[in-house]
Each structure stands twice: as C-alpha cells, then as structure tokens.
Amino acid sequence: MLQVGIIGCGKQAPKHITALQKLKIDKIFVSDIQPEAARELAGKYNILSYPDPEKLLQDNDINVIDICTPTPSHFDYARRALLSRKHVFCEKPLTPDIDEAAQLLALCRRQQRVGMVAFVYKYHPLFNQVKEAVDSGVLGTVRAIFMRLGGIGSHRTWKHQTESGGGVVNEMLSHMLDLLLWFVGDVGSIETVHLDNLLPNRRIEGAEVPSVAEDFALVVGKSVSGTKFVVESDLISPAFQNDIQILGSEGYVKFSVINTQESYIFLNQEHPPYTKGKTPLESRHTDLFELMFQDFLNRMQGQNGLQKNSFADSLRLAQLLQEIKRKGKIPVDDR
C-alpha cells in the first residue's frame, strides 16, 4: 500500500493532493505546525491529518514524505525522511545551500531512495517539444537564450522575507535557472548579477507589510558550450508573465507556459515537422503536477522514469544559486 505524508498546508499542498488523488494513491496524510490548517485541508479533500509533522515522520507505514514548507525547512525534513528510508518529494528549490544539497544527494543514494524536486515546467509538453528541437539541431548552433518569469508575488508575508526563504531568487528565478541548465547545459561564467528590492512595502491581507527580500533579479552569463544567457525574474509584474526565446544560427524559437501567448519556431530551412519560416506551437493546458508525480511513482517502482528534477540536478542548481547570491547584493532601502 502506497501512503504519502504531506508536510505543509499552504498554497502548494492542494496542487499536490489533487495530482495524487488523480493517480489513485491509497492513503494521503497532511500535517502542519498549525494543526488547524491540517485538519481544514484534510476535511476539504476527504483525506487524513496528523496533529504535527513529527508524528507523521515517525509513521513507519508512510512510504513518501512530500515537503510543501518554506525553503529553510526543506533540508531537515528531507534528511529525516531519508534516514527513515522514505522516498522524498520536495517543493522547489530543494535548498540553495551547496553543502545541504550534497548531503541530501549522498543520503538519497546511500538509502537507495528516490528524491525529486517540483520544477514543473520540465513536464510541460511544449517545453519538451522545444527541448527535442534544440537537441536535434534544427536551430543550428544555439547562440543565445533570453528568459523571463514574473508576477506580483505571493499574498503570504513569509514569501517576501529573506530569513524565511522568500524573495524572487527562490520563488521565480530558480525556475528559470533550472530550465537554463536543462536547455543549454552547465553555466561557464556569470558576468552580471543585479538583485534589487523595488517594492519595500506590500499590502498583504489588508495590512502594509515590509518586504525585506529581493523582488527583482537579472543574471547575465555564458554556458560552458558558449551560449549567452539573459535571465530576468521579478515579483513586481501586475500579472503573471513568462517568455523564453532561444536563438540559433539556423532559426529561433519563442515560447511560454501561458497558453494565450503566441509560441512558434522560425527556421531558415524546412526541417520536418517544421516548415521553412514560422511554425506555430501549441501550449495547451496540462496538469503538470500529475505528470510529475507519475514520473516520481515510476521511479519508485524501479522504472527509469524521465530522469528529471533529481537531487543531483538540485545540487547543480544550488551551486548556481549560491554564486548568484554571492555576487548579487540587495540594496538597503533608506526611504
């Protein structure tokens, strides 16, 4: 019997529960440091709750721990779950700390458990189509990639506090950097990092709340293969924004997770199934969490899976995040 224990009952947990229920998981439990939040969520989805995460971690019948808590708590929950020989699924990023990521990867391998992180965009059918096109060489030599992900930010105070793991680097930039590594490989050099706090005060739940985390990030550099990259993420856009462009010597591709936004590939020469010139690409709505959890379950059952979002991938990302945070400096607002 497969039993999943979810720690954390915030915004992400319902997405996980919905996907797991679609996949007919035998039992799903939720827990939170606020017991009432767990009871309320359990009642809404007709599942079970634990009074606190400690008791959930100690339940030997639970096979999987699914971590939906703020980033600073990920390492401890994941480490303890692995020590109890439980598989681990964790919200992104696993950790921005290199040493923590390395410890979790080593522990995952030693315990022979599956560890996976919720970077959902790599499961989007359109993004996979673009990945196949890039890898097949239809764009020629990939010269540059431009990436943007922005939004107004969460209506939860901790998402805008550095100490609690908030800020645009963990919240948005990590998504784009994860895709950057996937599309063009390892980063060779980081030339420019600009981090800023453009909205030092936010109105959250009817109150003015100070924001002491970066809400704008711009990173420029080159991959080991020589691809120039420009990545921008923010928490100041009035509405959700996403746009990625990959420029090659024989064509380019423009695409987005937003299905109302135009996505297409433009080639200098015909390369079936793509015509010469502009070929529209479809970005249809898909439950990315369901696809991601199915891959996770496949790996648990001994299948190879799609080899995405592993703890090894998160170690590479942690190395990049740590360098960006080291090079960037958030200005102190003195207004």
Side-chain angles (χ1 to χ4, degrees):
M1 177 180 288
L2 184 57
Q3 301 188 32
V4 177
I6 298 174
I7 301 177
C9 295
K11 184 179 74 172
Q12 293 302 99
K15 301 174 186 177
H16 291 219
I17 294 168
T18 299
L20 291 167
Q21 288 183 327
K22 286 181 180 179
L23 295 171
K24 309 297 183 184
I25 298 302
D26 297 304
K27 283 188 178 181
I28 303 171
F29 300 85
V30 290
S31 64
D32 196 280
I33 56 174
Q34 298 178 357
E36 182 55 37
R39 286 194 294 269
E40 182 178 338
L41 192 62
K44 182 177 180 180
Y45 287 92
N46 194 29
I47 56 179
L48 304 170
S49 68
Y50 262 90
D52 63 69
E54 299 301 322
K55 289 184 171 56
L56 185 144
L57 284 164
Q58 294 167 11
D59 188 334
N60 293 327
D61 292 327
I62 290 178
N63 317 89
V64 177
I65 293 296
D66 180 1
I67 304 167
C68 296
T69 57
T71 304
S73 63
H74 289 179
F75 172 72
D76 185 56
Y77 283 137
R79 182 185 63 83
R80 292 165 63 192
L82 288 168
L83 287 172
S84 299
R85 295 193 58 77
K86 301 181 190 299
H87 301 281
V88 174
F89 190 93
C90 185
E91 262 300 329
K92 58 81 189 169
L94 177 62
T95 170
D97 184 274
I98 295 174
D99 292 337
E100 290 183 353
Q103 287 182 55
L104 291 177
L105 175 59
L107 186 57
C108 198
R109 288 172 172 170
R110 186 165 69 246
Q111 298 290 74
Q112 297 183 321
R113 300 293 92 179
V114 175
M116 191 167 166
V117 183
F119 283 107
V120 294
Y121 293 144
K122 284 190 289 193
Y123 287 86
H124 197 294
L126 172 59
F127 284 41
N128 279 273
Q129 183 181 357
V130 171
K131 170 70 170 168
E132 290 173 6
V134 171
D135 290 349
S136 72
V138 299
L139 297 181
T141 301
V142 177
R143 293 171 173 166
I145 180 169
F146 300 90
M147 316 178 80
R148 179 170 186 243
L149 183 67
I152 195 57
S154 173
H155 292 292
R156 291 182 178 272
T157 302
W158 76 265
K159 290 278 192 177
H160 304 284
Q161 309 293 323
T162 303
E163 289 184 357
S164 55
V168 74
V169 173
N170 285 344
E171 184 72 5
M172 300 289 237
L173 187 67
S174 63
H175 270 302
M176 293 296 95
L177 295 176
D178 178 68
L179 287 174
L180 176 71
L181 294 171
W182 191 48
F183 281 123
V184 301
D186 288 333
V187 168
S189 63
I190 295 177
E191 301 161 8
T192 302
V193 175
H194 180 73
L195 304 179
D196 210 337
N197 183 0
L198 301 179
L199 287 178
N201 293 289
R202 291 175 178 265
R203 192 159 190 83
I204 299 177
E205 296 180 345
E208 286 291 326
V209 176
S211 172
V212 291
E214 79 287 347
D215 56 21
F216 179 88
L218 177 67
V219 181
V220 180
K222 274 190 177 181
S223 71
V224 170
S225 61
T227 301
K228 185 82 171 185
F229 62 81
V230 179
V231 184
E232 186 270 332
S233 291
D234 66 77
L235 297 173
I236 60 171
S237 297
F240 181 67
Q241 299 288 327
N242 173 237
D243 183 72
I244 302 175
Q245 298 182 48
I246 303 176
L247 281 59
S249 58
E250 302 300 323
Y252 68 94
V253 60
K254 178 182 183 298
F255 60 105
S256 172
V257 72
I258 303 171
N259 56 21
T260 56
Q261 195 163 306
E262 185 181 27
S263 296
Y264 61 88
I265 186 169
F266 184 96
L267 298 178
N268 294 336
Q269 300 294 331
E270 180 181 6
H271 198 301
Y274 307 111
T275 61
K276 179 180 178 179
K278 184 176 178 180
T279 302
L281 301 175
E282 183 182 2
S283 178
R284 62 185 182 276
H285 176 73
T286 308
D287 188 339
L288 302 181
F289 283 89
E290 182 181 359
L291 295 176
M292 187 166 52
F293 272 110
Q294 182 62 71
D295 185 32
F296 177 71
L297 296 176
N298 289 344
R299 293 189 215 179
M300 282 180 54
Q301 294 164 1
Q303 302 176 34
N304 287 331
L306 300 175
Q307 301 305 309
K308 298 175 183 176
N309 298 359
S310 68
F311 279 13
D313 293 332
S314 281
L315 175 57
R316 293 169 66 210
L317 179 61
Q319 292 166 340
L320 187 53
L321 289 173
Q322 194 156 304
E323 183 175 359
I324 286 170
K325 289 184 177 182
R326 180 180 61 82
K327 287 193 172 187
K329 185 176 181 181
I330 305 172
V332 176
D333 182 70
D334 56 3
R335 285 172 284 181

